[in-house]
């Protein structure tokens, strides 16, 4: 008897649905089904990290009788596994001819051609794609317990975590949904998490960034974002307020499902860090700040929640040694990570800080906010030692000039016809947020 033919099917199978079963059953008609099961890292490279980890997903698939073998697929690209296993067939739903996966498909065809394998495309089972299920699962995916743990999960699974400012429901939806499919690397890029900035939250309310917008109001913003999104939230906690208040606030944020708070070591009237030298930045006593971190960590009830200590030494011109001394102390006090801030344009003090920090804290998560030194790419900042990169204010800064321009133009023209070409149509606005189909 000759060897059975083999059929390769790559899936992530986080939520197994009838579409998977159809495809696997169909594959079994052609030969022994080998599942290329995407690793947690591979899934996280193009969509939300899986709810079930690799071993749990593998166990589920093993219980399907049409499956002969399961191998790891560590990238979106099938190339390595196809070259090694040379399956007679690759099977996929026919929904990948366009969109995000079309480059992966082209590569699969090229490799199959190299050795005479065949691609079988079966009709896509409508209504059960992973992304459609995710839409239906939104009420579950955005429950506090699931959302809160996502930041730690991302830190484990991704080379670095890419974060964008979200300041209301609508900008939250942009950060949640925007994607860029990169043909060079065959990956799909998206934002991993959302930053609720004090500068932007305040500015959208027409208020200065001086801890005037209180936590109740910040929580309203967070809730508004949370209602329509699933990605993890990092809160800009300013100074964290009084220690006695901070311990309550940590629990409130945890309960809501916020993943992390960053508090900065300033005291007195907090001013935005990016002001020129005319804003006086007064640093908190490092031991008093350590007390706040320690109290926050003690108050915390879940394992997921993270407290990052934000170092303002470079902003306040207190020097590199001060920043390093504080970093060491804050980590000893229990901070889960460090954010180092700088408004120098050339980035050299950030690079030096990271190099020196990594000598005594090689693995601790470090956050950068490259607003002024934005000549560096995320990849470069990651090379310097960043684990989380926050684009902290860019949606606010793009929205305001667009709104101002429209308002001015209508004044100038006495009518709105002239701006029609620059703004969304009402039809587009209505399509932007479809009515929920309750089911
Ligand atoms: C914010 O976005 O509010 C921040 C970052 O705290 S910065 O504005 O750069 O200080
Ligand atoms: Mg701020």
């Amino acid at each position: 008897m000759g060897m059975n033919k083999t059929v390769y099917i790559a899936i992530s199978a986080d939520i197994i649905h009838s579409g998977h079963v159809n495809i696997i059953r169909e594959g079994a008609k052609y030969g022994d089904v080998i599942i290329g099961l995407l690793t947690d890292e591979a899934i996280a490279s193009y969509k939300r990290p899986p709810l079930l980890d690799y071993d749990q997903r593998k166990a589920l698939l093993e219980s399907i009788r049409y499956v002969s073998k399961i191998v790891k697929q560590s990238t979106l690209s099938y190339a390595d596994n196809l070259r090694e296993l040379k399956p007679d067939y690759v099977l996929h739903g026919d929904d990948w001819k366009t969109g995000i996966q079309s480059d992966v498909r082209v590569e699969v065809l090229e490799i199959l051609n190299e050795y005479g394998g065949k691609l079988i495309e079966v009709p896509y089972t409508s209504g059960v794609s992973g992304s459609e299920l995710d839409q239906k699962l939104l009420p579950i995916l955005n429950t506090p317990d699931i959302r809160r743990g996502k930041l730690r999960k991302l830190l484990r699974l991704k080379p670095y975590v890419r974060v964008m400012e979200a300041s209301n429901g609508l900008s939250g939806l942009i950060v949640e949904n925007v994607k860029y499919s990169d043909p060079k690397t065959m990956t799909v890029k998206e934002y991993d998490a959302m930053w609720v900035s004090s500068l932007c939250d305040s500015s959208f309310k027409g208020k200065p960034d001086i801890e005037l917008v209180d936590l109740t109001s910040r929580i309203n913003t967070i809730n508004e974002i949370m209602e329509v999104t699933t990605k993890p939230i990092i809160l800009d906690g300013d100074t964290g307020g009084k220690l006695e208040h901070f311990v309550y606030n940590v629990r409130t944020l945890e309960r809501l499902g916020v993943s992390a708070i960053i508090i900065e070591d300033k005291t007195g009237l907090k001013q935005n860090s990016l002001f020129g030298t005319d804003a006086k930045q007064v640093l908190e006593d490092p031991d008093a700040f350590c007390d706040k971190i320690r109290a926050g960590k003690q108050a915390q009830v879940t394992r997921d929640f993270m407290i990052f200590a934000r170092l303002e030494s470079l902003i306040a011109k207190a020097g590199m040694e001060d920043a390093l001394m504080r970093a060491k102390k804050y980590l000893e006090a229990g901070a889960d990570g460090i954010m180092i801030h700088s408004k120098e344009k050339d980035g050299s003090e950030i690079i030096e800080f990271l190099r020196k920090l990594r000598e005594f804290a090689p693995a601790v998560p470090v956050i950068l906010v490259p607003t002024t030194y934005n000549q560096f790419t995320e990849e470069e900042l990651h090379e310097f030692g960043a684990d989380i990169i926050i684009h902290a204010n860019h949606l606010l800064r793009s929205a305001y000039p667009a709104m101002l321009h429209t308002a001015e133009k209508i004044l100038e023209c006495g009518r709105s016809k002239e701006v029609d070409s620059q703004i969304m149509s009402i039809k587009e606005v209505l399509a932007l947020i479809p009515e929920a189909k309750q089911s």
Side-chain angles (χ1 to χ4, degrees):
M1 225 174 73
M3 285 225 302
N4 282 350
K5 300 261 190 203
T6 51
V7 186
Y8 186 84
I9 304 175
I11 47 179
S12 48
D14 188 22
I15 299 163
I16 295 200
H17 51 68
S18 56
H20 292 123
V21 178
N22 286 344
I23 280 183
I24 294 169
R25 198 192 296 119
E26 189 61 26
K29 293 181 186 163
Y30 294 85
D32 292 343
V33 171
I34 305 175
I35 298 290
L37 185 59
L38 269 67
T39 57
D40 298 347
E41 289 82 357
I43 296 173
S45 79
Y46 81 105
K47 60 179 183 185
R48 65 163 175 77
L51 295 169
L52 303 179
D53 68 23
Y54 183 86
D55 290 333
Q56 291 168 318
R57 293 181 289 116
K58 182 161 178 268
L60 275 176
L61 285 167
E62 275 167 353
S63 72
I64 297 179
R65 69 184 145 107
Y66 303 105
V67 172
S68 298
K69 189 174 164 184
I70 299 170
V71 297
K72 270 190 185 170
Q73 184 173 314
S74 315
T75 55
L76 260 198
S77 158
Y78 291 39
D80 291 347
N81 280 0
L82 293 191
R83 292 214 165 90
E84 193 185 322
L85 301 166
K86 296 201 169 38
D88 300 287
Y89 303 101
V90 166
L91 194 135
H92 198 284
D94 64 0
D95 56 319
W96 67 337
K97 292 183 181 167
T98 55
I100 289 166
Q101 294 201 76
S102 60
D103 298 314
V104 177
R105 178 177 180 271
V106 169
E107 190 192 48
V108 165
L109 280 167
E110 278 167 13
I111 298 173
L112 287 172
N113 265 336
E114 289 169 14
Y115 67 86
K118 278 208 181 65
L119 177 64
I120 304 166
E121 290 174 314
V122 297
Y124 155 71
T125 319
S126 131
V128 291
S129 77
S131 50
E132 284 169 56
L133 278 175
D134 267 10
Q135 264 307 313
K136 290 195 181 145
L137 280 176
L138 185 100
I140 295 171
L141 293 174
N142 73 6
T143 49
D145 279 345
I146 292 186
R147 191 195 301 253
R148 194 192 307 107
K150 278 183 183 167
L151 185 65
R152 284 199 190 265
K153 200 172 206 175
L154 285 162
L155 281 166
R156 264 199 320 276
L157 295 179
K158 305 209 77 153
Y160 63 87
V161 176
R162 179 187 297 123
V163 187
M164 174 53 89
E165 164 232 332
S167 302
N168 49 45
L170 187 63
S171 57
L173 275 177
I174 292 180
V175 184
E176 178 83 6
N177 294 321
V178 69
K179 290 183 176 41
Y180 171 71
S181 152
D182 185 349
K184 279 200 300 284
T185 51
M186 283 205 288
T187 51
V188 183
K189 295 168 79 172
E190 58 177 276
Y191 293 101
D192 300 306
M194 298 177 280
W195 166 244
V196 179
S197 149
S198 68
L199 173 65
C200 299
D201 200 1
S202 308
S203 299
F204 270 117
K205 292 174 170 56
K207 299 248 169 97
D209 180 19
I210 50 172
E211 296 187 280
L212 174 64
V213 176
D214 67 5
L215 190 74
T216 307
S217 174
R218 307 289 312 279
I219 284 174
N220 279 336
T221 303
I222 293 170
N223 264 323
E224 183 181 323
I225 296 168
M226 282 184 161
E227 291 233 1
V228 295
T229 62
T230 64
K231 290 184 176 175
I233 291 179
I234 302 174
L235 176 66
D236 175 357
D238 290 320
T239 63
K242 290 186 170 64
L243 181 150
E244 293 80 354
H245 297 177
F246 184 57
V247 289
Y248 278 88
N249 294 339
V250 161
R251 290 202 179 152
T252 303
L253 296 169
E254 271 192 291
R255 193 169 58 246
L256 286 173
V258 170
S259 301
I261 185 170
I262 306 184
I263 53 171
E264 58 194 273
D265 56 359
K266 289 203 297 230
T267 188
L269 181 67
K270 192 220 74 161
Q271 307 251 21
N272 184 273
S273 306
L274 302 179
F275 263 118
T277 38
D278 37 335
K280 192 158 166 36
Q281 307 281 359
V282 185
L283 292 182
E284 175 64 288
D285 169 68
D287 293 318
F289 197 67
C290 284
D291 288 342
K292 204 185 278 186
I293 294 167
R294 227 177 273 116
K297 287 309 290 179
Q298 269 164 17
Q300 170 178 341
V301 291
T302 66
R303 279 199 203 155
D304 298 331
F305 191 73
M306 302 178 84
I307 298 177
F308 284 84
R310 163 170 166 175
L311 297 156
E312 291 285 305
S313 306
L314 303 179
I315 296 285
K317 300 271 173 256
M320 188 61 62
E321 287 316 307
D322 185 74
L324 290 161
M325 173 274 289
R326 286 168 178 268
K328 205 173 225 157
K329 276 186 178 253
Y330 300 164
L331 289 171
E332 278 164 12
D336 294 292
I338 291 291
M339 169 185 153
I340 179 68
H341 208 19
S342 161
K343 61 181 171 58
E344 292 307 311
K345 285 197 167 45
D346 69 5
S348 57
E349 61 182 20
I350 286 286
I351 296 171
E352 182 186 346
F353 175 85
L354 283 170
R355 189 168 44 74
K356 292 184 169 155
L357 176 85
R358 287 312 187 197
E359 286 169 15
F360 61 86
V364 64
V366 173
I367 301 179
L368 293 185
V369 181
T371 303
T372 50
Y373 50 97
N374 65 353
Q375 69 276 29
F376 298 113
T377 63
E378 293 165 354
E379 292 289 338
E380 286 167 332
L381 298 172
H382 173 57
E383 289 286 305
F384 298 151
D387 302 288
I388 298 180
I389 295 156
I390 301 181
H391 304 283
N393 42 48
H394 299 80
L395 299 188
L396 164 82
R397 287 165 63 198
S398 51
Y400 182 80
M403 292 194 289
L404 186 62
H405 172 76
T406 299
E408 283 172 347
K409 201 74 193 166
I410 294 173
L411 273 185
E412 180 189 329
C413 302
R415 62 180 191 185
S416 63
K417 186 173 170 45
E418 282 71 15
V419 299
D420 274 351
S421 63
Q422 294 155 34
I423 62 177
M424 291 171 89
S425 68
I426 291 296
K427 204 168 151 217
E428 286 168 318
V429 174
L430 294 173
L432 188 64
I433 303 161
E435 263 180 68
K437 291 184 209 64
Q438 300 290 346
S439 57

